[in-house]
């Protein structure tokens, strides 16, 4: 009965989730299509075409290249493109005017030399890690604009005019992008970052519960308890570190435990490999203007730190699963295992509960009752842990002695 | 004396390494500069300019956008650009001709509708994970070219001619990129992938040795031995999996152990976060033609699998370090710890040796004596392990019982 009840809920949630992703993708595609049609009007409508002429091409190019999935990414790319074009165009004009002044064969030589120097220097700058992270696209556009302006300045007489016209059409393209990206069904990188962080708490809680199932099927008693003790101590530290920054008041009862699906290992791994995604989302989120729940200058750095802590936790869970699984020892009496099973399950449930609690508090952005609910719970866990009969009394003594060490700080 | 001797070697190696990176960056920058000068000749030399005219702009744009650090990346982007331009241009021409045939106000409406449909559809395709990984850039260029051709086809009468001229200049730009990227000091993604994989073996070996130092300073005896046993069993499995695919004959004695630098934790983490880099390098490497030691259709998938195994190993090492560190128990007699220390050190040294051995065999691309040297070594480790006095005889018995289980398969 239990499985029958959970199954449709599971399916429904999965569909909801994938549907949400689908919907966002479709919305993004339609937005790009609309932006393209808008920018095409520069060509299609005669009065507009008379104003901009062939330069309308640059507006189309800007829309295609700059319009990204997340609003923050669009802003970041657009501003990069703007700065790169202005800088490249400005320096290009100066170089072109200088080359004009020299004249003759020297003109071509000077153009060649400046193109080489600026191209190589900007390419080198692009490879500096900090520049690469935030301004890679801007540097590329700088090289492009600089080369185009210098080189075509050799032929066309009105370099300044060309530069001005192109810049204004690029600005038009960017304005269309901004308008549609930020105001029509915006897709915020900050929301994605926030949601993915919250989901990771849930993923880890599910993994933890799954880890328990495996361990009771295939490991020796003594090893399991010692492992579990180390795991719990390590997790107590990690979780209490997490709890210090967060807190909450409302707790939604999470019923669908998804225990039926045994893919918790891959969930753990996906948490582990979230670093690159986190970094790019934080980068985009920091470009995004004030919206909804996120204020101006929201401390996105904390998300990076929390993500790092979660990855540490995932490492622990994953490797202990690995350790427990590797040598299969099916030949141990169930009677020996039984007395440990219940307290272990209680402990793991408490830890999973704490993780969900913390995740919820982040989701609701409310200060959670760290002092009122979570810390007492963790202390209970620690006491329960010391009551499990261990393979050696030595270990248990040590555990009792360190009681309150991690939580007091 | 020991530290004095190691310090300059350390510094020298670091400088060597960063110098190699620096040199490659400078070489890449110079290559881009040279490519830009070459492509500028289309403007600078009168006979060439008479041929291509303003379309030379597209050649410059191609060089700036397509020239990437790795030869494989340049190839991939160039081919993407080529396919995207041809497809987009072709479909764009058809749509433009169709719109011309309709004429009147319908012309503009048809152009708007096709731009919307193709733009939205291609944007949606770009978000499909498999397409995004390999053909994201091609899809973007498709949208760009399609829009430009359809829209400008409304004004210019000779759409086909425009498309042909642009395509030929793009091909010129790409040819210059290819020539300089592949033939002048090429920087191969496959070399980078290969070297980084080899370096990770060494990093893990160093981390393992560092882990031993920490554990003997701050952990209880019983916990350590049990932990170590689990660790070793898990590693034996991982390493023997690794060893099955690789082998070697020559072993360079690695003397500089860099034990003085205690950053092994960060080394382990860098191994852990290598997934994204690996995937992009494999993607680039698969575009690269036959060169040096890598044959045609080299099995790059194996590198992904090996990387995954190494990340698993790194997870184990990292989390055990965490587990052992978290509760500091300084109050244990040294006498109790002494008898375990030496066999533990021997075991860790053997494991580190095995890792280095495997790394070397990949580096030299020689079949290593898996049967002759590594497997006997691992069996010795397993025997040594069972001789360490454990906190419970139960654990030791189980370990002995599983002897040969992992290695026999």
């Amino acid at each position: 009965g239990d499985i029958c009840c959970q199954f449709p809920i599971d399916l429904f949630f999965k569909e909801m989730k994938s549907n949400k992703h689908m919907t966002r993708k479709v919305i993004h595609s339609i937005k790009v299509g609309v932006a393209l049609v808008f920018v095409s009007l520069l060509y299609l409508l005669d009065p507009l075409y008379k104003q901009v002429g062939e330069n309308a091409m640059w507006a189309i190019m800007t829309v295609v290249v700059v319009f990204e999935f997340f609003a923050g990414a669009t802003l970041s790319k657009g501003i990069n493109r703007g700065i790169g074009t202005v800088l490249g165009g400005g320096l290009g004009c100066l170089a072109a005017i200088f080359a004009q002044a020299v004249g003759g064969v020297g003109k071509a030589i000077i153009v060649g030399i400046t193109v080489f120097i600026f191209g190589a220097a900007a390419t080198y700058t692009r490879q500096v890690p900090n520049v690469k992270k935030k301004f890679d696209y801007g540097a590329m556009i700088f090289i492009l604009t600089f080369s185009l302006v210098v080189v075509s300045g050799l032929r066309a007489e009105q370099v300044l005019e060309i530069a001005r016209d192109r810049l204004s059409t690029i600005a038009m393209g960017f304005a269309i992008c901004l308008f549609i990206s930020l105001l029509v069904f915006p897709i915020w990188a900050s929301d994605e970052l926030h949601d993915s962080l919250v989901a990771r708490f849930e993923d880890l809680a599910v993994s933890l519960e799954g880890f328990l199932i495996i361990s009771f099927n295939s490991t020796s008693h003594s090893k399991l308890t010692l492992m579990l003790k180390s795991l719990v101590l390590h997790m107590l530290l990690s979780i209490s570190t997490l709890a210090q920054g967060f807190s909450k008041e409302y707790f939604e009862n999470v019923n669908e435990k998804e225990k039926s699906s045994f893919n918790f290992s891959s969930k753990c791994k996906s948490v582990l490999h979230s670093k690159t995604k986190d970094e790019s989302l934080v980068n985009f989120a920091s470009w995004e203007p004030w919206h909804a729940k996120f204020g101006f200058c929201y401390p996105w750095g904390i998300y990076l730190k929390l993500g790092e802590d979660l990855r540490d936790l995932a490492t622990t869970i994953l490797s202990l699963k690995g350790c427990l699984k590797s040598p299969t020892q099916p030949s141990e009496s169930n009677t020996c295992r039984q007395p440990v099973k219940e307290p272990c399950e209680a402990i793991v449930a408490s830890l999973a509960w704490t993780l969900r609690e913390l995740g919820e508090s982040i989701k609701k952005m409310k200060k959670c009752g760290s002092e009122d609910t979570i810390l007492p719970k963790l202390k209970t866990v620690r006491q329960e842990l010391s009551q499990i009969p261990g393979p050696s009394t030595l270990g248990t003594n040590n555990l009792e002695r360190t009681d309150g060490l991690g939580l007091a700080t």
Side-chain angles (χ1 to χ4, degrees), chain A:
Chain A
D2 206 315
I3 296 169
C4 283
C5 278
Q6 279 185 348
F7 203 56
I9 295 177
D10 251 45
L11 262 185
F12 177 72
F13 271 92
K14 263 180 202 158
E15 208 167 314
M16 273 285 286
K17 211 182 164 192
S18 73
N19 260 358
K20 199 189 149 203
H21 278 290
M22 274 282 284
T23 317
R24 280 184 2 175
K25 283 182 188 173
V26 170
I27 288 178
H28 172 63
S29 306
I30 292 174
K31 279 161 70 179
V32 171
V34 171
L36 280 175
V37 171
F38 267 110
V39 88
S40 300
L41 292 181
L42 288 178
Y43 263 101
L44 297 180
L45 301 179
D46 279 325
L48 287 177
Y49 187 72
K50 267 171 202 150
Q51 285 275 318
V52 295
E54 272 302 311
N55 285 315
M57 185 179 82
W58 292 94
I60 294 181
M61 216 178 279
T62 304
V63 168
V64 173
V65 173
V66 160
F67 209 119
E68 292 274 331
F69 191 73
F70 293 114
T74 307
L75 249 174
S76 145
K77 260 200 154 176
I79 291 173
N80 260 300
R81 192 179 176 98
I83 294 174
T85 309
V86 169
L87 273 184
L91 282 175
C93 279
L94 286 182
I97 289 165
F98 178 64
Q100 295 282 25
V102 172
V105 190
K107 209 160 84 169
I109 293 170
I110 284 176
V111 167
I113 290 172
T114 51
V115 164
F116 175 79
I117 290 175
F118 279 88
T123 305
Y124 189 80
T125 317
R126 277 179 80 182
Q127 295 169 69
V128 176
N130 282 333
V131 176
K132 194 185 178 81
K133 215 180 267 174
K134 291 209 162 184
F135 303 109
D136 185 54
Y137 185 66
M140 194 181 87
I141 292 297
F142 170 83
I143 304 174
L144 179 61
T145 316
F146 181 84
S147 310
L148 283 183
V149 169
V150 168
V151 164
S152 61
L154 208 67
R155 300 278 169 184
E157 298 305 306
Q158 342 77 328
V159 201
L160 277 171
E161 223 165 281
I162 292 176
R164 197 199 58 203
D165 288 351
R166 284 190 188 168
L167 198 59
S168 66
T169 45
I170 288 176
M172 283 177 214
F174 184 42
I176 291 172
C177 283
L178 269 194
F179 178 77
I180 294 178
S181 176
L182 294 181
L183 301 182
V184 186
F185 296 111
I187 304 168
W188 302 106
S190 23
D191 284 342
E192 171 79 12
L193 180 64
H194 189 80
D195 293 347
S196 86
L197 194 77
V198 170
R200 265 179 269 166
F201 277 92
E202 175 64 23
D203 282 353
L204 284 184
V206 170
S207 302
L208 200 59
E209 287 162 350
F211 150 75
L212 191 73
I213 295 168
I214 276 198
S215 58
F216 272 108
N217 290 337
S218 65
T219 27
S220 81
H221 161 253
S222 64
K223 208 170 144 196
L224 175 65
T225 46
L226 228 113
M227 279 292 181
L228 199 70
K229 283 186 178 177
S230 310
L231 166 73
V232 171
L233 278 176
H234 189 212
M235 283 194 60
L236 281 176
L237 276 178
S238 310
I239 292 181
S240 60
T241 313
L242 278 174
Q244 274 159 29
F246 285 86
S247 28
K248 71 126 246 171
E249 269 141 12
Y250 169 75
F251 176 54
E252 194 190 53
N253 229 322
V254 186
N255 280 324
E256 63 290 347
K257 291 203 173 174
E258 295 181 66
K259 267 185 184 169
S260 53
S261 64
F262 259 82
N263 58 346
F264 46 81
S265 181
S266 68
K267 275 190 179 174
C268 239
K269 279 198 182 164
S270 79
V271 172
L272 214 58
H273 298 140
S274 53
K275 192 184 167 77
T276 323
K277 194 187 159 202
D278 267 16
E279 278 175 357
S280 75
L281 282 178
V282 165
N283 181 19
F284 297 150
S286 64
W287 284 97
E288 284 175 2
W290 178 91
H291 71 276
K293 49 196 177 201
F294 306 108
F296 202 64
C297 288
Y298 196 76
W300 296 113
I302 288 176
Y303 279 78
L304 279 183
K305 215 200 128 295
L306 274 177
E308 193 66 41
D309 289 345
L310 285 176
R311 278 190 289 278
D312 282 352
L313 250 178
T315 311
T316 315
I317 295 174
L318 250 190
S319 100
L320 276 156
K321 201 174 64 59
C323 284
L324 288 168
K325 259 173 94 180
S326 51
T328 43
Q329 288 131 329
S331 57
E332 197 171 346
S333 61
N334 266 317
T335 49
C336 177
R337 216 186 288 158
Q338 215 49 52
V340 203
K341 189 171 179 179
E342 269 176 41
C344 280
E345 276 181 344
I347 288 172
V348 167
S350 301
L351 290 177
W353 175 85
T354 313
L355 277 177
R356 291 208 172 89
E357 192 86 341
L358 292 170
E360 276 298 310
S361 89
I362 294 178
K363 189 177 175 186
K364 310 274 174 199
M365 300 180 86
K366 278 182 182 166
K367 209 167 157 50
C368 82
S370 178
E371 281 80 31
D372 306 332
T373 56
I374 292 184
L375 288 189
K377 190 98 180 175
L378 290 182
K379 272 184 185 152
T380 320
V381 168
R382 187 158 280 206
Q383 277 167 9
E384 281 173 33
L385 191 66
S386 61
Q387 279 155 19
I388 297 178
S392 69
T393 33
L394 193 84
T396 321
N397 283 337
N398 279 333
L399 289 177
E400 274 164 0
R401 210 183 300 148
T402 55
D403 186 40
L405 226 164
L407 298 178
T409 48

